[in-house]
Amino acid sequence: MPAVSKIAIKNQIFDALVQLPDFDLTKEQLEDFLSKSNFQMNKTVKKSNPDRKTSAYHCFLSENKEGTIQERRAQWKILNDDQTSEGYLKYKGIADEINSSKNIPSKDELKAAKSKKIKSEQDDLKKQIEQLKLENSKLKSTSDSEPESEPESEPEPETEPETVVETEPEPETVVETETVVETETETETVVQEVKNEEEEEEEEEEEEEEEEEEEEEEEIEKIKPKYNGKKPESPLNNYKEWKKNILGLSINDSIKRADLVSYKETDDYDNVTYEEGCPWHNYIQDNMII
């Protein structure tokens, strides 16, 4: 038999205390004192941020609770491998609807926004390139329109011809168009690299979200016991599982018929309406894996 949980021990102690004739505190007051103390109870499930983006995978897990997390993960992989299938599109639609209600943009909307941003950056770069070309053209035309002025030479007396050393003319300083072409190519390369990096970041974010969701599901499986019985919605079955937890019994233990009758009388089972507020209402659904 596994060790009794802290919650079960706490419930046993509180139930015993409030039944003492000279004990004046209620169970609610004891719970309040405990919550303000340094005593740490085991956390059942790590609460998710309600504003966090929901994925198609998370919607699939929420709707399909039968089987282990490994089995359900394998089922999801089959759907995810064909993202045009009816099954995948179903859960993607559910996730998009939930995210839309939270004002969280969908995956397609995020891609469209990123594409728009990249196109705007490309347009700005093209304008800069056109400006460089225009400046280059002006510099070149200005250089061509300035003819070299040669000073008038006075006639010189005839002398023996001298050996003249020919020198190559100095090249004119002109902004080469090749530089502009190279700049254009480099900018387009940079834009493509930025686009690739953003797509990789988006894929990494999706993978991290799926890993977090898988970890949460695995954590739930580690903490919550599995219900192996029938009719988890039955009020009597919910009462039995709740009572076993109160008594500190294992989920595999059973309550004897005579004891069950006695417990039902003690807890006024027959007169308690099975609805929200009832201690064992939806106990299996909320505290066990079905």
Side-chain angles (χ1 to χ4, degrees), residues 246-263:
I246 294 295
L247 297 171
L249 299 175
S250 165
I251 58 169
N252 297 320
D253 292 337
S254 59
I255 300 176
K256 294 180 180 179
R257 187 180 298 274
D259 291 338
L260 180 61
V261 172
S262 175
Y263 294 145

Side-chain angles (χ1 to χ4, degrees), residues 233-258:
E233 71 285 354
S234 162
L236 180 58
N237 289 339
N238 277 275
Y239 172 76
K240 287 179 181 178
E241 296 302 326
W242 170 81
K243 194 63 179 179
K244 283 194 289 185
N245 180 67
I246 294 295
L247 297 171
L249 299 175
S250 165
I251 58 169
N252 297 320
D253 292 337
S254 59
I255 300 176
K256 294 180 180 179
R257 187 180 298 274

Side-chain angles (χ1 to χ4, degrees), residues 122-239:
Q122 287 176 329
D123 291 341
D124 290 342
L125 287 170
K126 285 178 181 178
K127 288 179 182 177
Q128 293 176 18
I129 291 168
E130 290 299 325
Q131 185 65 29
L132 284 172
K133 286 181 179 179
L134 181 61
E135 292 175 1
N136 176 67
S137 177
K138 287 180 179 178
L139 286 171
K140 189 174 181 181
S141 61
T142 303
S143 177
D144 291 341
S145 63
E146 293 179 356
E148 295 182 2
S149 57
E150 297 180 0
E152 295 181 2
S153 57
E154 296 180 359
E156 296 180 358
E158 294 183 3
T159 56
E160 294 183 2
E162 296 180 357
T163 303
V164 179
V165 178
E166 294 183 359
T167 59
E168 295 182 1
E170 294 182 1
E172 297 177 359
T173 305
V174 180
V175 178
E176 299 291 342
T177 56
E178 291 180 1
T179 305
V180 178
V181 174
E182 289 176 0
T183 304
E184 184 175 1
T185 305
E186 288 175 1
T187 52
E188 290 178 353
T189 302
V190 170
V191 169
Q192 186 60 43
E193 288 177 353
V194 171
K195 185 177 179 181
N196 293 340
E197 287 177 2
E198 289 179 344
E199 289 177 353
E200 288 176 1
E201 288 176 1
E202 183 180 346
E203 290 177 359
E204 287 177 359
E205 286 176 1
E206 290 178 357
E207 289 176 0
E208 287 177 1
E209 286 178 1
E210 288 193 1
E211 286 176 1
E212 286 179 2
E213 288 164 0
E214 288 175 2
E215 287 175 1
E216 286 180 6
E217 290 295 323
E218 288 174 351
E219 191 68 21
I220 290 172
E221 287 211 343
K222 289 178 184 177
I223 298 172
K224 286 188 176 182
K226 184 171 179 59
Y227 178 71
N228 297 314
K230 297 179 180 179
K231 297 182 178 180
E233 71 285 354
S234 162
L236 180 58
N237 289 339
N238 277 275
Y239 172 76

